[in-house]
Amino acid sequence: ATAQIGVTGLAVMGRNLARNLARNGFTVALHNRSPERTRSLVAEHGDEGTFVPAESMADFVAALERPRAVIVMVKAGGPTDAVIDELIPLLDAGDIVVDCGNAHFADTRRREEALRGHGLHFVGTGVSGGEEGALRGPSIMPGGSAESYRKLGPIFEKIAAQVDGVPCCRHIGPDGAGHFVKMVHNGIEYADMQLIAEAYDLLRAGLGAEPAELAEIFREWNAGELESFLIEITADVLGHRDAATGRAFVDIVLDRAEQKGTGRWTVQSALDLGIPITGIAEATFARSLSGHADQRAAARRAFPDAGEKKWQVTDRDAFVEDVRRALLASKIVAYAQGFDQIRAGSREYDWDIDLGGTATIWRGGCIIRARFLDRIRQAYDEQPDLPTLLVAPWFADTVNDGVPSWRRVVAEAARAGVPAPAFASSLAYFDALRAERLPAALIQGLRDNFGAHTYHRVDRDGTFHTRWAGDRSELEA
Ligand code: 6PG
């Protein structure tokens, strides 16, 4: 047994992770259900490091040093369970099974418990950064036992992206914590992308500009506070021309956004936890809405003119700056909500997740990597019990500076009939949080009126009910 770690499942993510491990000096055992992939990996990249290819699962396991560490990189769900079931009888107590796919954290909790019963460690690990990240340095979010991290930590920290000499990998917490954090990462990714898409749409409507011109604006934004991977590739995509037609690429792509499910999981979990992640939810629903082609066609026919006013931008630079500030403020809301959800999940499942530490490992490697993440790290490091990211000094200043722009953009978008659901709902969230009184009081009154659901008073402790159908006297429940 010579391999320090093994990878089973050599589709593109598994293959690139294996190559990254080998390039960093680790001896990597390889296995794939159909051996052709294993052979082609060795044939094409065998010179990048030391690989130990195996055709059977038994040979693969036998090639590993103990405690063994096996990375499973197959499709989430049934295929993952099948590989785990095959591995269990071949492993010994103390060995580690790592699932680097986008598994649901509830599945990870179930698997962790089951493998613990066999004396094995199961480590659900979030890996972000796509194919390139897997090869050149992803952001890695391992859950599972602290003991498993003693073996995995030095390996993962070496192959992860590095920012200011700090690896974009840390032990997130027990059982499903790593996959939970990766799930919220993806939810934030949805919100970030939706906000960028709305900003593009607003700029296009307001300026009547071509995508290539808008690419320039995103390129400029990427030199400032908005600097991030997603803004950078937005400039790239907007600047791209379709070779076949010569038209802007973004104009020849069907406008129906797809999803594999992590955004939906994030929203479902937030509902369970009672955390309003409105930005992420709007982003997820905006994708669904885009896919309802029949409803969209019917509504277009029924409402050709809904009183929208043509957008008249008189000061181009001021308008672009308004959209930039509105985007930044909305983005702050999305991250504030995402971190609220991580905190709530951590409490619910006893994970003790370090919020500043989570921001630290998102600074590089992952899809949402951004300059901004360093501010989040700082905010939570300075005040771990921050009630909301919105009130941390830099974030509060930025939102205060941006709020007039934010209101103008949302109001103008409504007037012009340009949908900006994530911008609008983020602003509404902000205003709701800071409201002195919310109409929730009326909701309580209605609930008590039709269902005797009781209410609390502002002036006295206790639980009350009004006899609505009777003499309207109040009684204390
Ligand atoms: C990442 C990405 C990755 C994947 C998304 C795509 O962090 O590297 O998030 O996990 O590309 O899951 O998700 P959708 O298909 O749902 O957009």
Side-chain angles (χ1 to χ4, degrees):
T2 53
Q4 285 144 299
I5 190 155
V7 180
T8 178
L10 298 174
V12 67
M13 285 298 283
R15 185 182 170 95
N16 283 358
L17 268 183
R19 290 175 61 196
N20 185 356
L21 287 159
R23 287 172 169 198
N24 277 287
F26 300 105
T27 300
V28 189
L30 300 175
H31 174 263
N32 193 68
R33 188 159 298 275
S34 59
E36 291 77 39
R37 276 191 205 270
T38 315
R39 291 186 206 131
S40 84
L41 171 45
V42 175
E44 288 163 36
H45 305 289
D47 58 348
E48 291 180 0
T50 312
F51 294 108
V52 185
E55 305 227 330
S56 73
M57 195 65 106
D59 289 349
F60 170 68
V61 169
L64 293 163
E65 283 176 10
R66 290 165 77 167
R68 303 181 183 95
V70 179
I71 295 179
V72 178
M73 199 76 228
V74 300
K75 279 205 178 71
T80 300
D81 281 317
V83 171
I84 294 170
D85 289 345
E86 201 181 339
L87 278 167
I88 289 172
L90 300 171
L91 298 174
D92 292 295
D95 288 351
I96 305 164
V97 177
V98 188
D99 176 8
C100 284
N102 269 334
H104 194 291
F105 73 94
D107 287 337
T108 301
R109 283 165 62 77
R110 167 177 61 75
R111 292 177 180 133
E112 195 275 337
E113 197 185 337
L115 267 69
R116 204 169 349 116
H118 292 277
L120 302 171
H121 298 280
F122 183 75
V123 182
T125 300
V127 177
S128 177
E131 298 169 16
E132 274 301 294
L135 182 62
R136 295 179 207 288
S139 171
I140 309 180
M141 297 151 248
S145 64
E147 195 188 329
S148 66
Y149 197 76
R150 275 197 284 280
K151 160 116 187 178
L152 296 174
I155 302 177
F156 283 171
E157 289 180 15
K158 191 139 184 229
I159 67 161
Q162 313 282 323
V163 174
D164 304 334
V166 180
C168 293
C169 172
R170 63 184 281 137
H171 183 228
I172 302 288
D175 60 83
H179 273 144
F180 183 88
V181 162
K182 174 58 165 60
M183 176 191 77
V184 177
H185 165 283
N186 280 28
I188 294 175
E189 176 185 304
Y190 276 46
D192 235 339
M193 288 165 70
Q194 176 65 24
L195 289 168
I196 289 172
E198 289 179 17
Y200 146 76
D201 207 28
L202 294 166
L203 289 171
R204 195 161 184 182
L207 300 175
E210 285 305 301
E213 196 186 322
L214 302 176
E216 224 20 75
I217 294 173
F218 282 93
R219 218 162 276 136
E220 279 161 29
W221 286 358
N222 202 38
E225 285 301 342
L226 282 168
E227 181 190 325
S228 62
F229 172 68
L230 284 171
I231 295 279
E232 181 192 324
I233 63 172
T234 298
D236 189 22
V237 172
L238 288 178
H240 183 60
R241 265 185 196 291
D242 174 48
T245 59
R247 294 173 58 192
F249 168 79
V250 75
D251 287 338
I252 59 99
V253 176
L254 194 64
D255 58 345
R256 294 184 207 162
E258 295 171 18
Q259 50 183 314
K260 290 208 272 306
T262 46
R264 183 176 69 241
W265 293 347
T266 314
V267 179
Q268 287 167 335
S269 147
L271 289 171
D272 291 339
L273 293 166
I275 302 298
I277 54 161
T278 53
I280 296 170
E282 281 297 349
T284 308
F285 284 129
R287 288 196 192 187
S288 320
L289 188 153
S290 75
H292 287 282
D294 293 350
Q295 289 187 335
R296 290 175 59 190
R300 262 198 313 276
R301 277 195 301 276
F303 309 108
D305 175 3
E308 61 267 44
K309 302 267 177 300
K310 195 173 160 27
W311 206 320
Q312 284 190 324
V313 171
T314 45
D315 184 336
R316 181 188 188 277
D317 290 350
F319 171 66
V320 171
E321 180 58 9
D322 271 355
V323 177
R324 190 191 69 85
R325 287 175 180 228
L327 172 57
L328 188 53
S330 304
K331 182 175 158 119
I332 290 172
V333 165
Y335 280 73
Q337 295 177 342
F339 276 84
D340 280 353
Q341 183 173 4
I342 295 176
R343 173 160 38 207
S346 177
R347 281 196 189 131
E348 174 74 17
Y349 302 107
D350 270 330
W351 285 329
D352 197 22
I353 297 175
D354 182 321
L355 297 181
T358 301
T360 305
I361 64 166
W362 286 351
R363 294 181 307 164
C366 63
I367 303 297
I368 64 170
R369 61 185 179 264
R371 181 197 283 201
F372 190 78
L373 262 316
D374 214 32
R375 308 257 187 211
I376 300 182
R377 175 196 60 78
Q378 230 172 350
Y380 282 112
D381 284 354
E382 275 164 21
Q383 200 188 333
D385 62 346
L386 204 56
T388 161
L389 189 61
L390 275 167
V391 303
W394 182 84
F395 294 91
D397 288 348
T398 304
V399 170
N400 271 324
D401 288 349
V403 86
S405 297
W406 207 3
R407 294 194 191 289
R408 267 196 299 274
V409 168
V410 170
E412 288 299 324
R415 249 191 291 276
V418 179
F423 272 56
S425 84
S426 304
L427 178 58
Y429 173 87
F430 166 75
D431 279 328
L433 268 194
R434 50 181 287 283
E436 182 69 38
R437 291 275 298 159
L438 287 171
L442 176 57
I443 306 274
Q444 284 297 81
L446 297 174
R447 291 176 69 247
D448 190 58
N449 179 295
F450 68 66
H453 292 302
T454 74
Y455 52 89
H456 300 284
R457 298 182 55 100
V458 295
D459 52 358
R460 267 183 292 142
D461 283 342
T463 303
F464 301 90
H465 166 60
T466 291
R467 289 191 186 88
W468 296 99
D471 63 358
R472 305 210 156 207
S473 60
E474 184 176 72
L475 51 100
E476 195 162 350

